[in-house]
Amino acid sequence: MKRIFSGVQPTGNLHLGNYLGAIRNWVQLQKDFDCIFCIVDLHALTLPQDPKELRAQTREVTAAYIAAGIDPEHCVIFNQSTVPGHAELAWLLGCLTPLGWLNRMTQFKEKAGKHREEAGLGLYSYPVLMAADILLYKATHVPVGEDQKQHLELARDIAGAFNRRYGVEFFPLPEPQIFGAGTRVMSLRDGTKKMSKSDISDYSRLNMTDDAETIALKIKKAKTDPQPLPATEKEAEARPEADNLLGIYASLAGLDKPAAIARFAGKNFSAFKDELAGVAGDVLGKIGAEMKRLLADPGYIDGVLHRGAARANAIASPILGEIFDIMGLLRP
Ligand code: TYM
């Protein structure tokens, strides 16, 4: 059976990168896979969160999934903390994960920065919880943006370590699905930095809740260079801001990158930015308006999460039971 698991952290400022790199691809994949989409609230706790905000953002990510086109009747949508198996399996898998593997994780190095000694244990073991998320459902495919590739390689290594240690073929090795023109959307202020929820400048990203006017303003202020738009892919690659904006345009307009480059080759940025603002405003504006409509009825959102939790638990519980048996944990 082909099963997808993926998730987003409810840490605020859902942005165009989350949409193009992940959520939009899920919408396409839901037709062909058994899908489980999670709001990973336990992962959010690896950095300090305001409890009230965390609750609000959990509902906001849920609304974003549905507004983007994920069908909550067909797919399982739930928040991670409602299925205890995630934390339990993370412990079990943590006992099989060598520290050396975790020491290689670049995201921990970036997030902990110079304050490694003060960083929490949860931030360090974050990728083990992510492996548990996926393996708890024996997911076979994991659609994510480029920045999650290393974590997925670790999840495959952990699955392999479990199978070898116990001499079983229990966990499938989950396959990363990283595709489309938006696998790595960069900041609007610096084409060498990833667009991120945590960037202090709101002008660095297009949020999924921005209205058309805000989107137009952010695109107008987006960093560019003084030359006209590049004429070839090679030329674009050497100009990170132009390359990023062209990639975003291609992705939103449903073109491939070379077609977007050909369309604007040699033109000036202001005409291009007007078109980009138009297409971005259309796509995100509709999703943002639908999110607002859904969020006006928190009872509906909570109902989706409640049903999702029951469905997720029903899939996870027997799998966790088998894992306990394989590992020799007695359940009298
Ligand atoms: P998170 O919340 O940082 O991001 C959610 C998804 O958005 C993608 N993404 C991007 N894609 C393109 N360009 C960008 N600038 C950009 N920024 C973010 C991410 O790759 C991700 O797909 N650890 C994960 C959440 C997670 C998870 C999982 C994912 C927890 N458990 C199990 C898959 C399977 C994270 O922090 O994503």
Side-chain angles (χ1 to χ4, degrees), residues 5-11 14-23 26 38-40 43 65 80 86 107 111 126-127 129-134 141-149 151-152 178 182-187 193-197:
F5 183 96
S6 200
V8 173
Q9 292 194 61
T11 44
L14 268 183
H15 54 71
L16 184 71
N18 301 128
Y19 178 61
L20 295 179
I23 301 171
W26 306 354
C38 189
I39 297 97
V40 289
H43 275 101
Y65 288 1
Q80 193 182 23
H86 290 257
Q107 191 162 303
K111 288 199 175 169
Y126 176 117
L129 179 59
M130 183 161 158
D133 297 340
I134 299 163
H141 294 78
V142 186
V144 285
E146 176 75 36
D147 62 343
Q148 296 300 316
K149 200 170 167 194
H151 288 158
L152 286 186
I178 301 172
T183 55
R184 192 168 172 80
V185 178
M186 308 308 275
S187 158
K193 254 174 65 187
K194 195 181 70 168
M195 185 178 283
S196 142
K197 294 180 194 132

XYZ file of all heavy atoms in Angstrom, residues 5-11 14-23 26 38-40 43 65 80 86 107 111 126-127 129-134 141-149 151-152 178 182-187 193-197, ligand 1:
498
model
N 2.832 10.399 4.482
C 2.749 11.178 5.718
C 3.550 12.452 5.498
O 4.663 12.428 4.957
C 3.372 10.419 6.914
C 3.226 11.186 8.203
C 2.179 10.918 9.062
C 4.098 12.225 8.528
C 2.010 11.656 10.230
C 3.932 12.968 9.685
C 2.897 12.672 10.547
N 2.975 13.586 5.889
C 3.775 14.815 5.915
C 3.193 15.771 6.940
O 2.088 15.545 7.447
C 3.864 15.465 4.529
O 4.982 16.352 4.491
N 3.939 16.832 7.245
C 3.475 17.747 8.281
C 4.107 19.119 8.190
O 5.099 19.325 7.491
N 3.477 20.044 8.892
C 3.969 21.428 8.991
C 3.942 21.820 10.468
O 3.010 21.452 11.189
C 3.068 22.399 8.174
C 3.474 23.848 8.407
C 3.115 22.080 6.679
N 4.936 22.569 10.903
C 4.940 23.036 12.288
C 4.002 24.236 12.446
O 4.058 25.152 11.624
C 6.336 23.516 12.666
C 7.358 22.441 12.732
C 8.611 22.947 13.435
O 8.571 23.337 14.596
N 9.718 22.960 12.723
N 3.210 24.251 13.522
C 2.324 25.396 13.740
C 3.060 26.531 14.441
O 2.747 26.891 15.577
C 1.215 24.809 14.615
C 1.890 23.721 15.393
C 2.999 23.187 14.524
N 4.044 27.089 13.751
C 4.866 28.116 14.391
C 4.667 29.487 13.746
O 5.544 30.334 13.815
C 6.362 27.711 14.355
O 6.651 27.194 13.046
C 6.678 26.651 15.368
N 2.771 30.935 8.062
C 2.823 29.983 6.939
C 3.062 30.776 5.670
O 2.389 31.778 5.429
C 1.464 29.320 6.801
C 1.217 28.022 7.520
C -0.165 27.528 7.170
C 2.260 27.000 7.123
N 3.991 30.343 4.844
C 4.390 31.196 3.722
C 4.381 30.446 2.392
O 4.100 29.238 2.340
C 5.762 31.825 4.001
C 6.820 30.812 4.336
N 7.344 29.960 3.395
C 7.407 30.488 5.499
C 8.238 29.184 3.971
N 8.293 29.476 5.255
N 4.737 31.201 1.364
C 4.711 30.654 0.008
C 5.603 29.415 -0.137
O 5.273 28.500 -0.892
C 5.174 31.753 -0.965
C 5.135 31.409 -2.441
C 3.691 31.324 -2.920
C 5.881 32.469 -3.265
N 6.724 29.371 0.594
C 7.613 28.203 0.541
C 6.894 26.964 1.049
O 6.977 25.887 0.446
N 6.159 27.094 2.165
C 5.404 25.950 2.695
C 4.359 25.499 1.676
O 4.107 24.301 1.516
C 4.680 26.322 4.003
C 5.613 26.784 5.105
O 5.420 27.839 5.697
N 6.642 26.016 5.376
N 3.771 26.477 1.001
C 2.733 26.135 0.024
C 3.344 25.452 -1.204
O 2.970 24.330 -1.552
C 1.953 27.394 -0.367
C 0.896 27.110 -1.411
C -0.146 26.226 -1.151
C 0.953 27.703 -2.675
C -1.103 25.936 -2.112
C -0.005 27.416 -3.642
C -1.023 26.525 -3.358
O -1.954 26.225 -4.311
N 4.318 26.106 -1.828
C 4.859 25.556 -3.087
C 5.724 24.315 -2.848
O 5.728 23.384 -3.646
C 5.674 26.619 -3.827
C 4.887 27.836 -4.329
C 5.825 28.815 -5.024
C 3.755 27.418 -5.279
N 6.481 24.339 -1.738
C 7.383 23.214 -1.471
C 6.648 21.976 -0.992
O 7.083 20.854 -1.222
N 5.517 22.179 -0.296
C 4.863 21.031 0.328
C 3.367 20.973 0.037
O 2.915 20.126 -0.741
C 5.123 21.066 1.843
N 2.599 21.870 0.624
C 1.132 21.705 0.658
C 0.522 21.573 -0.741
O -0.359 20.752 -0.963
C 0.478 22.869 1.452
C 1.035 22.902 2.883
C -1.045 22.732 1.483
C 0.650 24.118 3.714
N 0.846 18.131 -1.962
C -0.039 17.177 -1.271
C -1.405 17.151 -1.945
O -2.037 16.092 -2.036
C -0.253 17.555 0.195
C 0.975 17.744 1.015
C 2.276 17.507 0.657
C 1.019 18.231 2.350
N 3.113 17.812 1.691
C 2.372 18.266 2.738
C 0.056 18.645 3.262
C 2.779 18.695 3.997
C 0.452 19.068 4.515
C 1.807 19.092 4.878
N -0.304 16.017 9.041
C -0.224 16.297 10.471
C 0.143 17.758 10.716
O 0.858 18.372 9.918
C 0.866 15.368 11.037
S 0.982 15.341 12.814
N -0.343 18.297 11.822
C 0.127 19.603 12.289
C 1.031 19.248 13.462
O 0.558 18.765 14.502
C -1.058 20.508 12.709
C -1.949 20.793 11.503
C -0.553 21.823 13.283
C -3.141 19.916 11.377
N 2.332 19.418 13.271
C 3.298 18.816 14.197
C 3.553 19.756 15.389
O 4.589 20.401 15.494
C 4.601 18.365 13.484
C 4.336 17.156 12.607
C 5.215 19.461 12.643
N 6.673 19.060 17.577
C 7.895 19.624 17.001
C 8.003 21.113 17.295
O 9.103 21.642 17.515
C 7.926 19.403 15.479
C 8.463 18.071 15.080
N 7.665 17.020 14.701
C 9.734 17.608 15.021
C 8.424 15.971 14.418
N 9.684 16.304 14.602
N -4.440 23.864 5.240
C -4.496 22.595 4.503
C -5.806 22.518 3.720
O -5.823 22.203 2.530
C -4.457 21.393 5.460
C -3.139 21.076 6.152
C -2.003 21.849 5.962
C -3.023 19.977 7.002
C -0.813 21.539 6.617
C -1.844 19.655 7.646
C -0.747 20.441 7.454
O 0.431 20.125 8.084
N -0.399 16.345 15.984
C 0.506 15.290 16.468
C 0.273 14.897 17.939
O 0.288 13.711 18.272
C 1.926 15.849 16.297
C 3.079 14.930 16.424
C 4.373 15.737 16.273
O 4.395 16.951 16.506
N 5.435 15.071 15.862
N 3.292 8.946 18.729
C 4.434 9.682 18.156
C 5.560 9.802 19.191
O 6.723 9.521 18.896
C 4.001 11.089 17.698
C 3.124 11.062 16.496
N 3.579 11.371 15.236
C 1.813 10.746 16.349
C 2.569 11.247 14.376
N 1.493 10.876 15.027
N 20.270 21.252 10.278
C 19.243 22.148 10.811
C 19.453 22.418 12.300
O 19.237 23.534 12.765
C 17.845 21.580 10.563
C 16.774 22.601 10.865
C 15.442 22.233 10.231
O 15.322 22.054 9.030
N 14.437 22.100 11.048
N 19.834 26.077 13.859
C 18.885 26.590 14.857
C 19.557 26.837 16.202
O 19.204 27.777 16.902
C 17.696 25.645 15.024
C 16.761 25.683 13.823
C 15.388 25.145 14.149
C 14.467 25.334 12.956
N 13.198 24.632 13.080
N 14.935 16.205 17.578
C 13.844 16.525 16.659
C 13.738 15.548 15.473
O 12.653 15.034 15.169
C 14.118 17.959 16.200
C 13.247 18.586 15.167
C 12.493 19.715 15.481
C 13.196 18.118 13.853
C 11.709 20.332 14.529
C 12.410 18.727 12.905
C 11.672 19.834 13.247
O 10.895 20.443 12.320
N 14.858 15.232 14.799
C 14.734 14.329 13.636
C 14.294 12.913 14.002
O 13.749 12.210 13.157
C 16.144 14.307 13.033
C 16.876 15.450 13.646
C 16.253 15.708 14.974
N 11.993 12.292 16.328
C 10.529 12.421 16.398
C 9.946 12.452 14.988
O 8.895 11.861 14.724
C 10.155 13.695 17.178
C 8.662 14.002 17.325
C 7.920 12.871 18.034
C 8.453 15.321 18.084
N 10.658 13.091 14.073
C 10.176 13.149 12.685
C 10.179 11.744 12.061
O 9.234 11.367 11.353
C 11.058 14.122 11.894
C 10.616 14.315 10.486
S 11.306 15.836 9.799
C 11.170 15.432 8.064
N 11.206 10.970 12.356
C 11.235 9.580 11.862
C 10.064 8.800 12.455
O 9.386 8.029 11.761
C 12.561 8.918 12.235
N 9.784 9.034 13.754
C 8.669 8.343 14.411
C 7.346 8.709 13.745
O 6.491 7.847 13.532
C 8.639 8.697 15.901
N 7.180 9.992 13.401
C 5.939 10.436 12.729
C 5.652 9.564 11.509
O 4.528 9.132 11.277
C 6.080 11.879 12.210
C 6.281 12.895 13.306
O 5.952 12.594 14.456
O 6.783 14.009 12.988
N 6.696 9.366 10.734
C 6.547 8.685 9.446
C 6.375 7.178 9.649
O 5.486 6.548 9.079
C 7.810 8.963 8.575
C 7.946 10.467 8.324
C 7.786 8.163 7.283
C 9.329 10.889 7.842
N 5.839 7.203 1.371
C 6.235 8.399 0.619
C 6.060 9.639 1.493
O 5.052 9.749 2.204
C 5.380 8.552 -0.640
C 5.601 7.456 -1.634
N 5.042 6.206 -1.490
C 6.337 7.418 -2.780
C 5.425 5.442 -2.502
N 6.218 6.150 -3.300
N 7.035 10.561 1.386
C 6.975 11.759 2.225
C 7.251 13.002 1.372
O 8.408 13.299 1.042
C 8.003 11.670 3.385
C 7.841 12.847 4.333
C 7.847 10.364 4.152
N 6.196 13.725 0.989
C 6.399 14.928 0.168
C 6.764 16.139 1.029
O 5.999 16.532 1.903
C 5.026 15.127 -0.503
C 4.043 14.425 0.379
C 4.771 13.406 1.196
N 7.925 16.699 0.770
C 8.443 17.839 1.555
C 9.241 18.774 0.644
O 9.521 18.429 -0.509
C 9.407 17.359 2.673
C 8.677 16.718 3.827
C 10.462 16.419 2.109
N 9.628 19.929 1.188
C 10.559 20.817 0.497
C 11.987 20.313 0.677
O 12.262 19.434 1.510
N 12.860 20.878 -0.112
C 14.278 20.473 -0.152
C 14.955 20.482 1.237
O 15.772 19.627 1.541
C 14.948 21.485 -1.103
C 16.425 21.419 -1.292
C 16.836 20.253 -2.158
O 16.104 19.931 -3.108
O 17.897 19.674 -1.844
N 14.555 21.429 2.091
C 15.249 21.576 3.381
C 15.040 20.375 4.316
O 15.746 20.254 5.311
C 14.827 22.873 4.085
C 13.336 22.913 4.408
O 12.568 22.114 3.834
O 12.944 23.745 5.240
N 14.093 19.497 4.004
C 13.843 18.348 4.884
C 14.541 17.069 4.418
O 14.385 16.006 5.023
C 12.334 18.082 5.006
C 11.576 19.213 5.676
C 12.074 19.488 7.086
O 12.302 18.566 7.860
N 12.276 20.749 7.411
N 15.316 17.202 3.329
C 15.934 16.015 2.720
C 16.821 15.246 3.714
O 16.737 14.024 3.822
C 16.767 16.489 1.528
C 17.073 15.431 0.550
C 17.682 16.021 -0.685
C 18.263 14.914 -1.515
N 19.145 15.436 -2.536
N 16.735 15.197 6.947
C 15.937 14.531 7.985
C 15.303 13.241 7.454
O 15.183 12.253 8.182
C 14.826 15.468 8.487
C 15.344 16.597 9.322
N 14.652 17.761 9.517
C 16.497 16.737 10.018
C 15.343 18.562 10.300
N 16.473 17.967 10.605
N 14.917 13.271 6.193
C 14.304 12.059 5.623
C 15.329 10.960 5.405
O 15.023 9.773 5.567
C 13.620 12.390 4.297
C 12.312 13.146 4.456
C 11.626 13.299 3.123
C 11.404 12.385 5.391
N 10.290 15.193 -3.495
C 10.660 16.608 -3.546
C 10.569 17.009 -5.007
O 11.421 16.625 -5.805
C 12.097 16.806 -2.983
C 12.150 16.295 -1.535
C 12.531 18.263 -3.063
C 13.524 16.236 -0.910
N 9.048 24.779 -6.889
C 9.114 25.526 -5.621
C 9.699 24.729 -4.477
O 9.321 24.928 -3.328
N 10.654 23.834 -4.744
C 11.180 23.001 -3.661
C 12.074 23.790 -2.699
O 12.305 23.369 -1.577
C 12.021 21.826 -4.205
O 13.028 22.373 -5.042
C 11.174 20.855 -4.997
N 12.577 24.920 -3.192
C 13.386 25.767 -2.312
C 13.114 27.234 -2.659
O 13.801 27.822 -3.506
C 14.873 25.418 -2.489
C 15.731 26.019 -1.426
C 17.140 25.428 -1.441
N 18.003 26.157 -0.534
C 18.021 25.953 0.781
N 17.282 25.047 1.336
N 18.812 26.688 1.555
N 12.105 27.802 -2.026
C 11.751 29.201 -2.267
C 12.630 30.060 -1.361
O 12.763 29.773 -0.167
C 10.250 29.440 -1.958
C 9.881 30.894 -2.169
C 9.379 28.528 -2.830
N 13.237 31.081 -1.946
C 14.182 31.888 -1.175
C 13.526 33.182 -0.671
O 12.453 33.586 -1.137
C 15.408 32.220 -2.041
C 16.053 31.006 -2.705
S 16.449 29.669 -1.569
C 18.036 30.212 -0.979
N 14.201 33.849 0.272
C 13.700 35.101 0.863
C 13.567 36.188 -0.207
O 14.387 36.262 -1.128
C 14.689 35.548 1.938
O 14.563 36.915 2.183
N 19.104 33.231 0.905
C 18.566 32.703 2.180
C 17.196 32.106 1.948
O 16.387 32.667 1.211
C 18.392 33.870 3.173
C 19.417 33.909 4.260
C 19.288 35.151 5.118
C 18.001 35.246 5.918
N 17.878 36.557 6.608
N 16.905 30.998 2.615
C 15.603 30.339 2.453
C 14.468 31.209 2.989
O 14.638 31.856 4.028
C 15.676 29.035 3.264
C 14.625 28.030 2.991
C 14.832 26.815 3.891
C 14.536 27.120 5.346
N 14.454 25.954 6.225
N 13.338 31.234 2.290
C 12.153 31.911 2.851
C 11.752 31.144 4.099
O 11.649 29.921 4.068
C 11.005 31.917 1.837
C 9.798 32.696 2.306
S 8.456 32.769 1.079
C 9.044 33.986 -0.068
N 11.542 31.863 5.208
C 11.345 31.151 6.469
C 10.318 31.851 7.354
O 10.170 33.069 7.309
C 12.716 31.039 7.150
O 12.613 31.203 8.522
N 9.629 31.004 8.169
C 8.631 31.533 9.105
C 9.287 32.433 10.136
O 8.652 33.333 10.674
C 7.978 30.382 9.888
C 7.137 29.438 9.080
C 6.565 28.367 10.013
C 5.990 27.196 9.267
N 6.432 25.890 9.763
P 8.295 23.117 8.330
O 7.134 23.411 9.210
O 9.545 23.906 8.536
O 7.895 23.277 6.812
C 6.758 22.621 6.283
C 7.028 22.195 4.857
O 7.356 23.336 4.061
C 8.595 23.121 3.377
N 9.313 24.407 3.281
C 9.763 24.929 2.129
N 9.700 24.490 0.869
C 10.240 25.293 -0.119
N 10.845 26.482 0.159
C 10.943 26.958 1.424
N 11.509 28.135 1.675
C 10.377 26.170 2.484
N 10.285 26.323 3.833
C 9.626 25.231 4.306
C 9.345 22.128 4.248
O 10.319 21.427 3.507
C 8.216 21.231 4.751
O 7.924 20.239 3.782
N 10.340 18.946 10.185
C 9.286 19.448 9.334
C 7.892 19.008 9.759
C 7.731 17.558 9.985
C 7.586 16.554 8.989
C 7.433 15.337 9.699
C 7.558 16.595 7.594
C 7.682 16.931 11.195
N 7.497 15.614 11.011
C 7.269 14.120 9.013
C 7.392 15.368 6.930
C 7.248 14.177 7.624
C 9.315 20.962 9.353
O 9.823 21.555 10.257
O 8.627 21.554 8.350
